[in-house]
Amino acid sequence: MVGATLVLRLIAGGLTHLTEDEAYYRLWSFSPALGYYDHPPMIAWWIWLGRTIAGDNPLGVRLGPILATAATSFLVFDAVRLAGAGRAVAAQAGIWFNATLLVLAWGFLAVPDAPASLFWTLAVWCALKAWRGPALRWWAAAGAAAGLASLSKYSALFIAPGMLLWLAASPEGRRRLRTPGPWLAAAIAGALFGLNLAWNADHGWLTLLKQFGRVTPHGFAPRYLVELAAGQVLLLTPLIALFALAAPLVRRRSAVDLTPFAAIGAPFAAYLLLHSLHDRVQAHWPAPLYPLIAICAAVSAARLSDRAAWRRVALAAPVVGFALGGAALAVLMMPGGALGRYDLALPVRGWAPFSARIERLRGAAGADWVGTTSYGL
């Protein structure tokens, strides 16, 4: 199933025009650096590598994120297995991760969420390996993954308090906190993040001021919380969301320890909820939590499978997800104009003739440059 979705994303990635964000990040890739105005540098590095391998075309720009989504799927499978699940539940978690609408239909886009999601999940996987031992080298690997995640998107800074919450939640975890491993991980992650901090220091703290400027509340607007909840139910797909919401109810009756997945994701989830009380949370921001949510949902479904009704709902969950995601990809790959003004993919339609027309106008006017009102345009 993961292989099939990989092929589907490769096709969609090659046939679909770049979104405006991807076109923006592509420009970054021509000047590799340790930071950029909007984000840390990882997505620019990935696009540079993809263009080097597959050419300066949509597939080349997206090659890294497409492969990363497949790699994240395998990490999801093995992470839940390390937490005590059997192969069937582990496979279900990997399939359900791919069946979410956000991952299936947008998992091929070259945006910072792709490397952030991969390295978040890798950090969790390495930490679970460290729990099982030999610990020190796996804690070092977890720190490196968390550091790379922070070079992808600043939301990865929530990994550290999440790891601390997980370890502090049990006597064994608190014993681990008295060993060098977790602190070695923190030091390695901090050193890697320091590369972007150094770049920011040399550029007037440009990215930090832009991104952390969003944190300050400007009034109270709880309507954004309703928007966040409704949007995430749709993007997870309703049935997978249902099992994810049921996970706390079955956690104590399951052989699989969901504590690491719930605890590591909790600080970032809490921040998103608080942010939604005063401003909009963009639909893709929770993307790094999707691997953890898919794991919790699959374990929840397995625990409820002794009831026939829940078993039927669980069987339907990935079917609904793949149907919704497949329909979204089909619309993206349709020829322009097929759906008229109701085409939700209009933002990626018609750029080639539009840019050719602008170039003709520029030449006729003898202009050296063209000004626009947005970076996307």
Side-chain angles (χ1 to χ4, degrees), residues 122-132 138-139 142 163 166 264:
L122 181 60
V124 174
W125 181 80
C126 290
L128 290 171
K129 297 283 281 187
W131 187 270
R132 296 166 70 98
W138 285 113
W139 277 121
M163 290 279 189
W166 166 43
I264 293 172

Side-chain angles (χ1 to χ4, degrees), residues 72-169:
T72 303
S73 304
F74 286 109
L75 289 172
V76 166
F77 167 84
D78 205 47
V80 69
R81 190 186 60 80
L82 290 171
R87 290 184 65 86
V89 176
Q92 182 165 281
I95 292 169
W96 282 23
F97 168 67
N98 282 275
T100 61
L101 183 59
L102 182 69
V103 175
L104 182 60
W106 285 275
F108 66 92
L109 298 181
V111 292
D113 303 285
S117 297
L118 172 64
F119 293 127
W120 259 80
T121 313
L122 181 60
V124 174
W125 181 80
C126 290
L128 290 171
K129 297 283 281 187
W131 187 270
R132 296 166 70 98
L136 199 60
R137 72 184 186 193
W138 285 113
W139 277 121
L148 293 172
S150 71
L151 291 177
S152 304
K153 204 169 184 182
Y154 290 146
S155 56
L157 296 175
F158 285 101
I159 294 175
M163 290 279 189
L164 183 61
L165 182 62
W166 166 43
L167 293 173

